[in-house]
Amino acid sequence: MSDEMQTLIERVSTATLAKGMAYASEGRVRVLSVTPHGSDATRVVASVRGTRQTPYELALTLHRSGTRLVAVEGRCSCPVGRECKHMVAVVARYIEMQEQQPAASVSSSAP
């Protein structure tokens, strides 16, 4: 598990963390947009397929200090609303995307 997940680990229960990580690994997260938000934050809008038919919608702001994730703010349309498994899933997927990005740009520049 990434060190960046430590920020969420401190805020959610073990069960919420496990369910969110499972949702991310099962491909339930659809990231709709990732945009800079000031000099040290990123805005992530996503949807997550949960237990109901309609996906839950999330809008999160991920705050960084250097390269480390230090805070997550936002809302989810699920009944819990914050610090839920859907939020964990989106953050996990975002981190995964960031880790894959350098590899993708290297492979795309190959002849």
Side-chain angles (χ1 to χ4, degrees), residues 51-103:
T51 54
R52 69 176 189 173
Q53 187 172 3
T54 305
Y56 294 108
E57 303 296 326
L58 295 91
L60 305 177
T61 302
L62 310 179
H63 297 274
R64 296 185 166 279
S65 176
T67 59
R68 182 159 171 76
L69 180 66
V70 295
V72 178
E73 297 176 339
R75 299 276 306 154
C76 178
S77 63
C78 78
V80 175
R82 293 181 182 192
E83 298 171 2
C84 60
K85 60 189 170 189
H86 311 107
M87 181 183 282
V88 172
V90 170
V91 173
R93 179 65 184 120
Y94 171 78
I95 291 169
E96 179 184 310
M97 288 169 56
Q98 294 304 301
E99 290 172 349
Q100 292 173 349
Q101 191 173 21

Side-chain angles (χ1 to χ4, degrees), residues 9-82:
I9 291 169
E10 295 169 357
R11 296 174 60 182
V12 300
S13 71
T14 304
T16 298
L17 179 67
K19 289 176 185 176
M21 296 300 289
Y23 275 23
S25 68
E26 292 166 2
R28 293 179 178 228
V29 178
R30 180 173 175 231
V31 174
L32 304 174
S33 69
V34 176
T35 54
H37 190 71
S39 62
D40 64 347
T42 302
R43 183 85 166 156
V44 179
V45 177
S47 64
V48 178
R49 283 183 291 113
T51 54
R52 69 176 189 173
Q53 187 172 3
T54 305
Y56 294 108
E57 303 296 326
L58 295 91
L60 305 177
T61 302
L62 310 179
H63 297 274
R64 296 185 166 279
S65 176
T67 59
R68 182 159 171 76
L69 180 66
V70 295
V72 178
E73 297 176 339
R75 299 276 306 154
C76 178
S77 63
C78 78
V80 175
R82 293 181 182 192

